[in-house]
Amino acid sequence: MTSSTRPSLKRDLSSIVGGDHTLVGTIPEAYTHDEALELDPVEPMAVVFPTSRDHVGELIKYANANLLPLVPRGSGTGLSGGARPVDNGVVCSFEKMNRILAIDTIDQTAMVEPGVTLDQLEQALTDTPYFYPVYPGEMSASLGGNVATNAGGMRAMKYGVTRHNVLGLEFITGSGLRSRSGGAYVKTSSGYDLTQLIVGSEGTLALVTRVLLRLSPRAHYRTLVLASFGKFEDIAVAVDSISRRGLLPSILEYMEASGLRAMAEHAGINLGVTAEVSSSTAAYLMVELEAMNYDDLEWQTNLLVEVLTGHNSTEQYVLDETQRRGLISARESAFWTVKKLGANVILDTVVPRSKLTELFKGAAACARERNAVLVGTGHVGDGNVHLSLFQSDPIECHATANAIIELAQELGGTISGEHGIGLAKRSYLLEHEDPARLSLMNSIKSIFDPLNVLNPGKLL
């Protein structure tokens, strides 16, 4: 399609989703990008807002008939370019498919449409003893977007990532086939697991129209401990010991000292860290513990402080509730902090926990070689680190990022732990992924979406 066909495009799309749910011509800037730092915006030919699964099916049918690229979008909070429009394409925004269809406190499930946000679901669960535990750090993110990227976040060590908390899906493939997978049960041995295939596929195989989520019991008590360390290697050893001693934190994060200072300043919170401790600290561990009763929480906290002290933590701060909420909020806003400071790329490589020290040291060396600056935070409990790369030269920036990704793979890790590949990391995947796996992925794509209308150019 070309710009000359836009009047007919407006008419055709309006006939599917309604004129009030179709934008053609002047497109609001928000729909030209997601939050990937390294990608330029692209204005789509149109944005449509389906309100039903029938709308989605008709849109896919129309896309196939006209070879029209269809790019799914949730809240646009992704960091890999997965929701970035493509030239001469249409953005399919799910923000109006935002109904919570059912909350089942017996089977501990919630059925939602893809446009439901994490905050919306949390509010709906407030008066129940359950919550949805996946916590990627941006509560305005949509559940459909989380499914697309297999979002993880700060609670992954205890509760897992999105794929561990999605029990079933309703979806429409790129060929127009409507189907369901999974159900309100936790195990199945009945053929290929299509639910797990679609989770993390970034909207390249099918558009999800309903999601069945597993809910978890909400803890009654929690506390947050902030521990300072003079050396990165001591953090990796402490994390291993925390696990071996039987502790299972709900949050286990690391933050470089400079990163924590920037986040605390950005959020306007006082964590009680003295200037003396701050000046001698390389990085901090942020550990949240939770329990159903106070005595259990107190026992866990005492054991945690013992473990941290035994592994060269220079100071431990048991934060009060105001500080706890403030620090978690600051950690949530880490992306906005580094974006404001001018970061050029954010990597989210993941390695085995035993290799974290090697990754820290090696990544720092890669940055020094190319006059780049790295600021690190991340989900150290599951080996997923977020490295904010500051390097204004695009060639050197790409070379630094590539070297860090190569290092992560040499250490037994992979390119992305939770942000996804999208467009921003596609070149790294094509260069470093095993050709046999790429061939299988392309074969799966051709079966689900033979005309390549769903999010073309992303992931593969």
Side-chain angles (χ1 to χ4, degrees):
M1 284 191 176
T2 65
S3 58
S4 64
T5 65
R6 289 195 181 197
S8 63
L9 181 65
K10 171 74 172 178
R11 181 198 64 221
D12 293 346
L13 295 176
S14 296
S15 70
I16 297 173
V17 300
D20 292 342
H21 295 153
T22 304
L23 296 176
V24 176
T26 302
I27 304 296
E29 187 270 342
Y31 296 100
T32 65
H33 62 88
D34 61 9
E35 294 299 336
L37 298 177
E38 60 268 54
L39 300 176
D40 294 328
V42 171
E43 184 172 305
M45 293 180 66
V47 181
V48 290
F49 304 88
T51 58
S52 72
R53 49 192 172 183
D54 287 341
H55 285 169
V56 177
E58 288 301 310
L59 286 169
I60 292 177
K61 181 179 178 181
Y62 181 78
N64 276 283
N66 294 276
L67 296 180
L68 183 68
L70 198 58
V71 177
R73 176 188 168 92
S75 299
T77 61
L79 296 173
S80 65
R84 176 183 179 266
V86 299
D87 291 330
N88 296 317
V90 170
V91 169
C92 178
S93 173
F94 283 96
E95 62 195 82
K96 297 185 184 298
M97 286 183 66
N98 62 351
R99 295 180 300 161
I100 298 174
L101 301 170
I103 293 175
D104 186 334
T105 57
I106 297 177
D107 285 329
Q108 298 180 27
T109 63
M111 178 72 81
V112 303
E113 290 184 322
V116 172
T117 66
L118 290 165
D119 185 61
Q120 184 184 349
L121 181 58
E122 173 64 17
Q123 294 302 316
L125 293 171
T126 297
D127 295 329
T128 76
Y130 302 107
F131 79 121
Y132 179 65
V134 179
Y135 190 49
E138 179 50 71
M139 294 301 284
S140 67
S142 71
L143 272 304
N146 282 191
V147 168
T149 60
N150 185 31
M154 289 189 272
R155 296 191 184 124
M157 182 179 181
K158 181 172 184 177
Y159 293 103
V161 297
T162 299
R163 71 169 65 258
H164 302 123
N165 293 278
V166 172
L167 297 174
L169 296 172
E170 179 184 89
F171 57 90
I172 305 175
T173 69
S175 65
L177 178 68
R178 302 183 184 214
S179 188
R180 296 179 180 179
S181 60
Y185 41 80
V186 296
K187 58 183 179 180
T188 176
S189 296
S190 305
Y192 300 136
D193 194 335
L194 298 180
T195 301
Q196 296 306 316
L197 176 60
I198 291 171
V199 173
S201 63
E202 303 189 31
T204 63
L205 302 181
L207 299 188
V208 171
T209 54
R210 292 188 178 184
V211 186
L212 182 64
L213 302 167
R214 183 215 302 258
L215 304 178
S216 295
R218 191 187 300 271
H220 296 157
Y221 299 91
R222 57 178 51 85
T223 193
L224 191 67
V225 176
L226 181 68
S228 58
F229 288 84
K231 296 188 297 184
F232 283 110
E233 38 272 51
D234 289 333
I235 285 183
V237 176
V239 167
D240 178 62
S241 186
I242 287 170
S243 179
R244 285 191 291 106
R245 294 294 295 273
L247 292 170
L248 187 56
S250 50
I251 294 176
L252 184 54
E253 299 282 297
Y254 96 96
M255 294 163 285
E256 288 187 17
S258 60
L260 178 64
R261 284 193 296 270
M263 283 187 283
E265 181 179 336
H266 181 78
I269 57 172
N270 181 3
L271 299 171
V273 179
T274 66
E276 181 182 2
V277 171
S278 179
S279 64
S280 62
T281 297
Y284 295 87
L285 268 185
M286 168 182 161
V287 190
E288 184 183 71
L289 302 170
E290 58 183 20
M292 289 299 183
N293 64 76
Y294 181 79
D295 289 342
D296 184 21
L297 182 65
E298 186 175 39
W299 174 83
Q300 289 186 58
T301 305
N302 290 336
L303 178 57
L304 174 63
V305 171
E306 175 188 320
V307 170
L308 294 170
T309 303
H311 289 87
N312 299 322
S313 169
T314 53
E315 195 67 55
Q316 304 85 43
Y317 301 88
V318 180
L319 304 185
D320 62 31
E321 183 60 16
T322 299
Q323 292 171 319
R324 185 188 76 84
R325 290 180 179 272
L327 181 54
I328 291 176
S329 176
R331 174 62 185 89
E332 286 177 357
S333 67
F335 166 73
W336 304 108
T337 302
V338 297
K339 181 179 180 180
K340 181 179 179 181
L341 292 173
N344 301 100
V345 170
I346 295 179
L347 299 175
D348 72 314
T349 55
V350 59
V351 297
R353 280 203 320 240
S354 61
K355 302 296 183 181
L356 281 170
T357 297
E358 293 174 65
L359 179 63
F360 291 149
K361 290 182 175 179
C366 291
R368 283 195 302 271
E369 288 174 10
R370 295 174 176 83
N371 297 315
V373 174
L374 281 181
V375 176
T377 61
H379 317 307
V380 71
D382 56 36
N384 181 205
V385 298
H386 296 179
L387 299 172
S388 300
L389 178 58
F390 296 78
Q391 170 54 271
S392 57
D393 184 318
I395 296 176
E396 288 297 304
C397 187
H398 181 86
T400 305
N402 196 55
I404 293 171
I405 287 170
E406 283 185 351
L407 172 64
Q409 292 196 303
E410 289 169 4
L411 295 173
T414 192
I415 298 168
S416 174
E418 60 185 14
H419 293 167
I421 299 298
L423 185 60
K425 300 186 184 76
R426 185 184 64 176
S427 63
Y428 304 122
L429 182 76
L430 297 180
E431 180 175 349
H432 298 293
E433 183 57 274
D434 173 52
R437 284 199 292 267
L438 284 175
S439 177
L440 286 171
M441 286 188 239
N442 277 297
S443 296
I444 292 168
K445 167 72 170 173
S446 66
I447 292 171
F448 274 74
D449 183 24
L451 297 183
N452 193 29
V453 296
L454 294 188
N455 221 4
K458 310 296 177 57
L459 183 58
L460 296 171

